Amino acid sequence: MKILRQYVGLLIAGMLFYFLIKPFIQTHTELKGATFQIHWGWLVCSFGAILFYWSAYLYPFAILLSGIAAKHVVSFRTAFTLFHLANITRYLPGRIWGVVRLLSLSHRFRLSKTAVGGSLTLHVGIETILGGLIGMSLIFSPKMRGSALGIIDKISAHTTLLSLVCIGILIGTLFLIPTLSSKARQFLKTLRDTGVPLFQEPFRHQWLNIFASHIFLWICQGLAFFLFVRSFVPTAWMDAGVLTACFAFAWVIGFLSFLTPGGLGVREGLLSLLLSSYMPAPQATLVALLCRVWMLSAEIVLAGVAFTLNKHVKR
């Protein structure tokens, strides 16, 4: 059984590597003119910031788990280990393996699948809504409005088409808001009727804590992305807000696309389109692709930490 797990681990690693290098292979002609210097100090700072983000990401998740699992406290360590053991598998084809892995690990931490699934749904739902609001602020950015046509002219036809498809997906999602809202209300009503502590009086004050934590997380992620871009291209600090909005917009579209595991390709295509107002198109494409490597590297590091912590979990 141990040998089988090792082979499965190698297979998963190989598939992750394939989906990681695939965008570079597909866009190699666009990257021939991409040359720039790396500011290693900013790059190290950005990696530290994204590691902090992915670590703090589990704080509101732990609060939700505590409320829905009817436990006084689900420790941060438990939430961290459970989430990061499963998170890396979301890059596998099918878009569901991260959730499947998360639910399959729940019993190991003495948590029900209902509690874990409900907590994850609320956690990611709040994250997506806030990310969408931040991303939509791009509409009110004078720089984006003034250079929209220029961006389209500079970018390749392939990337432009991909980005238009993404925007179409977002518009289509807007028509689903009434249905999604109805489903969300029904889900929350079910949790409330079953006596979930999170919806009872002692836990209600935690909702403000949860939303404040998610706002703080988006600030952290936006700062980390800004520092990452700054490590390749000189960027003014006053552009940190609009770059955060660019990242949030691309993140939400990639999450909603359901086309590729982890939004691979979709997020990078749209991000390169948005970044091309700050740098030439080849650099924008390469920065967008390297952003995925940057994010995935942090997730792999934290998955390794979670694997180490998991060895000490009491069975």
Side-chain angles (χ1 to χ4, degrees), residues 122-165:
L122 290 172
H123 185 51
V124 176
I126 295 171
E127 177 188 22
T128 305
I129 291 171
L130 290 177
L133 292 175
I134 295 170
M136 291 304 290
S137 68
L138 280 173
I139 296 175
F140 304 101
S141 167
K143 186 169 186 177
M144 283 297 168
R145 288 202 307 267
S147 59
L149 294 177
I151 292 173
I152 295 175
D153 288 338
K154 290 188 294 181
I155 216 72
S156 69
H158 174 268
T159 305
T160 300
L161 178 61
L162 178 61
S163 302
L164 291 175
V165 170

Side-chain angles (χ1 to χ4, degrees), residues 1-313:
M1 184 61 69
K2 183 178 180 180
I3 296 177
L4 178 61
R5 285 200 300 266
Q6 290 176 345
Y7 278 113
V8 170
L10 290 174
L11 177 62
I12 291 174
M15 295 179 72
L16 289 174
F17 180 73
Y18 168 75
F19 281 105
L20 182 62
I21 66 172
K22 185 178 178 181
F24 288 91
I25 297 174
Q26 292 176 334
T27 59
H28 69 281
T29 56
E30 297 179 39
L31 302 181
K32 290 181 179 178
T35 56
F36 43 70
Q37 293 182 340
I38 300 176
H39 191 296
W40 290 103
W42 290 124
L43 186 60
V44 171
C45 289
S46 71
F47 193 71
I50 202 64
L51 282 175
F52 174 79
Y53 161 79
W54 274 118
S55 300
Y57 184 79
L58 280 307
Y59 175 70
F61 182 61
I63 296 176
L64 289 167
L65 267 177
S66 300
I68 296 179
K71 290 190 174 185
H72 182 62
V73 173
V74 172
S75 70
F76 176 82
R77 174 174 173 169
T78 295
F80 179 95
T81 307
L82 172 63
F83 180 84
H84 283 296
L85 280 176
N87 184 50
I88 200 68
T89 59
R90 66 192 174 92
Y91 288 100
L92 296 178
R95 293 295 300 267
I96 64 169
W97 298 111
V99 178
V100 171
R101 177 64 173 161
L102 192 70
L103 296 178
S104 68
L105 288 171
S106 58
H107 72 280
R108 187 178 299 179
F109 298 87
R110 298 181 177 87
L111 295 168
S112 69
K113 292 183 179 180
T114 301
V116 173
S119 301
L120 181 67
T121 300
L122 290 172
H123 185 51
V124 176
I126 295 171
E127 177 188 22
T128 305
I129 291 171
L130 290 177
L133 292 175
I134 295 170
M136 291 304 290
S137 68
L138 280 173
I139 296 175
F140 304 101
S141 167
K143 186 169 186 177
M144 283 297 168
R145 288 202 307 267
S147 59
L149 294 177
I151 292 173
I152 295 175
D153 288 338
K154 290 188 294 181
I155 216 72
S156 69
H158 174 268
T159 305
T160 300
L161 178 61
L162 178 61
S163 302
L164 291 175
V165 170
C166 294
I167 294 171
I169 292 171
L170 178 61
I171 294 174
T173 304
L174 294 178
F175 289 100
L176 297 176
I177 287 178
T179 302
L180 294 175
S181 299
S182 176
K183 295 292 185 182
R185 285 195 298 270
Q186 184 179 357
F187 173 71
L188 294 176
K189 183 178 183 301
T190 301
L191 292 177
R192 188 164 49 247
D193 292 343
T194 54
V196 173
L198 188 62
F199 297 94
Q200 308 305 315
E201 188 61 34
F203 276 88
R204 285 181 182 173
H205 70 281
Q206 293 285 16
W207 282 104
L208 179 60
N209 195 8
I210 291 169
F211 277 98
S213 298
H214 273 286
I215 293 172
F216 175 72
L217 287 172
W218 269 113
I219 293 173
C220 291
Q221 190 169 204
L223 176 62
F225 177 70
F226 170 76
L227 294 176
F228 175 77
V229 174
R230 190 179 174 87
S231 66
F232 295 99
V233 180
T235 310
W237 283 95
M238 63 183 298
D239 290 328
V242 71
L243 284 175
T244 299
C246 289
F247 181 82
F249 189 74
W251 184 93
V252 171
I253 294 297
F255 178 77
L256 296 176
S257 66
F258 298 107
L259 297 176
T260 56
L264 281 169
V266 175
R267 186 179 303 168
E268 288 73 29
L270 184 53
L271 194 57
S272 66
L273 175 68
L274 296 172
L275 289 177
S276 62
S277 67
Y278 294 89
M279 62 193 79
Q283 279 88 339
T285 300
L286 185 56
V287 168
L289 293 175
L290 289 175
C291 180
R292 175 67 72 171
V293 179
W294 171 69
M295 291 282 289
L296 183 57
S297 298
E299 294 175 47
I300 290 174
V301 168
L302 293 177
V305 174
F307 180 78
T308 301
L309 293 174
N310 185 53
K311 291 183 178 179
H312 304 288
V313 174

